[in-house]
Amino acid sequence: MRTKVLDETRIEEAGAVLRAGGLLGIPTETVYGLGADGLNPEAVAHIFQAKGRPQDNPLILHIPSADWLERYCEEIPPEAYALAERFWPGPLTLILKRKVLVPDAVTAGLDTVGMRCPAHPVTRAIIAAAGVPVAAPSGNTSGRPSPTNVADMLEDMDGKVDAIVDGGPCSVGVESTILDLTLTPPRLLRPGGVTLEQLEAVVGSVAVDKAVRQLLRGDEQPRAPGMKYRHYAPKAPVTVVKGDGAAAARYIRRHLADGDGVICFNEFVPLFEGHPVEPMGPEADQAEQARRVFDALRYFDGTPVSHIWAMCPEESGLGLAVANRLNKAAGFHIVQAGK
Ligand code: AMP
Ligand code: MG
């Protein structure tokens, strides 16, 4: 199959790919997604094939506005509308009870479905043109860092999808926040562009799923099957070094071996001369760190590094999402730098 790259004016053509049961790379504000008609189980099955994704890892249904929620969900609590009002279109996925018309292929057989209205206007226009909800996970090969620009998505999906729409680089850079509204209190399953603090301001107390901050033990059942998989990982092993930038830099300099790579806050780049270094943004700029984190992880796959050391922001605000992606890339191999 030849993969076409469509510019963002080609809304009708992109919608037609979806309607015909094809696979379409879609730009969103979070990361690039790998979309198909969410009501067509055969098309959805092709997403799993193209990514090499385990069958039990459910997808998110993307809709152009909150008034599509009733088509696919039931027993929708008022909090869903309050959150949609405040954060949609935007990087928030709500887990709700599904209606039977949502195929098992999308939900991996769960009786719930993840729903999101993305902020990228081109993708909303494509979904509206297609007239179907778009099932999509991130557009990477399963296990690899998510793509945040069209070149990264092509690297994984060239020849495997019908087309990718180039909507420019992603403005958020990490996947959507996932909030399970079928539990009381609501539970954060994945931190993302909408922060825990922002959610709590709208719905009150939110529980944080254990899998966000630590590796589940073999005998622990994750809330969603996808939460158990190794994720976002470059080929070389990663060690996350927690602590403020200066302390982490000292720790890394002490432990760094020849040929090791470093992901660090911009201020510390000169300390690692002679090593492959990826700046992740200034220490105080978590939004830039979120935009950069996947590209930084991806970069090392083109280098012969044998180990990657990564600085890590504090786990508050957007830092919770950035730290979660780094920790998962490291398989939760985390050390604490002393003061
Ligand atoms: P991705 O954005 O590539 O990580 O793929 C979609 C994510 O949404 C996966 O991590 C799933 O675990 C999560 N997800 C989708 N549907 C559900 C659901 N019904 N319950 C819990 N998590 C879900
Ligand atoms: Mg993904």
Side-chain angles (χ1 to χ4, degrees), residues 3 35 99 151 170 177 206 214 228 237 249 268 286 330-331:
T3 298
K99 283 192 168 156
C170 299
T177 302
V206 168
Q214 65 194 76
K228 71 178 178 249
F268 301 95
Q286 295 179 334

Side-chain angles (χ1 to χ4, degrees), residues 31 51 53 57-60 93 95-96 106-107 110-114 136-140 146 175-176 178 180 189-190 223-227 231-232:
V31 302
K51 281 183 63 93
R53 184 176 176 99
N57 193 358
L59 310 179
I60 292 168
T93 296
I95 305 297
L96 295 164
V106 171
T107 68
L110 298 174
D111 61 1
T112 56
V113 60
S138 53
N140 50 289
S146 303
E175 301 87 341
S176 59
I178 301 184
D180 191 336
L189 301 185
R190 176 173 75 186
R223 173 74 189 154
M227 296 165 82
H231 236 118
Y232 315 126

Side-chain angles (χ1 to χ4, degrees), residues 6 38 50 88-89 91 117 119 140 180 211 261 303:
L6 303 177
W88 279 4
C117 174
N140 50 289
D180 191 336
T303 74

Side-chain angles (χ1 to χ4, degrees), residues 8 24 35 37 43 74 98 116 129 183 187 212 217 221 225 250 275 289 293 305 329 331:
E8 47 184 38
L24 183 72
D37 174 355
E74 51 192 28
R98 71 153 161 172
R116 174 163 119 79
L183 300 171
R187 195 189 300 181
V212 169
R217 291 194 317 262
Q221 260 316 92
R250 275 196 303 276
H275 291 265
Q289 293 159 28
V293 64
V305 297

Side-chain angles (χ1 to χ4, degrees), residues 72-267:
Y72 311 112
C73 305
E74 51 192 28
E75 296 172 31
I76 304 171
E79 288 82 8
Y81 293 105
L83 289 163
E85 173 76 22
R86 172 73 180 78
F87 299 114
W88 279 4
L92 176 65
T93 296
L94 301 175
I95 305 297
L96 295 164
K97 197 145 192 303
R98 71 153 161 172
K99 283 192 168 156
V100 284
L101 93 161
V102 179
D104 278 344
V106 171
T107 68
L110 298 174
D111 61 1
T112 56
V113 60
M115 302 296 301
R116 174 163 119 79
C117 174
H120 203 300
V122 171
T123 286
R124 275 204 318 285
I126 292 169
I127 300 170
V132 293
V134 172
S138 53
N140 50 289
T141 299
S142 204
R144 291 203 76 206
S146 303
T148 52
N149 55 64
V150 82
D152 286 354
M153 179 146 184
L154 266 177
E155 188 177 286
D156 285 13
M157 291 299 151
D158 197 7
K160 297 183 177 171
V161 303
D162 297 280
I164 304 175
V165 179
D166 186 354
C170 299
S171 60
V172 176
V174 291
E175 301 87 341
S176 59
T177 302
I178 301 184
L179 186 69
D180 191 336
L181 285 179
T182 67
L183 300 171
T184 312
R187 195 189 300 181
L188 181 74
L189 301 185
R190 176 173 75 186
V194 173
T195 66
L196 179 60
E197 295 84 348
Q198 288 176 308
L199 294 174
E200 289 189 318
V202 176
V203 296
S205 158
V206 168
V208 177
D209 197 273
K210 212 175 156 187
V212 169
R213 290 203 168 101
Q214 65 194 76
L215 197 60
L216 294 181
R217 291 194 317 262
D219 59 341
E220 284 175 314
Q221 260 316 92
R223 173 74 189 154
M227 296 165 82
K228 71 178 178 249
Y229 293 109
R230 181 163 181 264
H231 236 118
Y232 315 126
K235 290 174 193 139
V238 180
T239 300
V240 168
V241 184
K242 288 179 72 164
D244 66 63
R250 275 196 303 276
Y251 183 99
I252 295 170
R253 274 167 59 98
R254 257 187 279 124
H255 293 82
L256 195 65
D258 278 352
D260 286 358
V262 180
I263 296 175
C264 69
F265 301 128
N266 295 6
E267 296 88 325

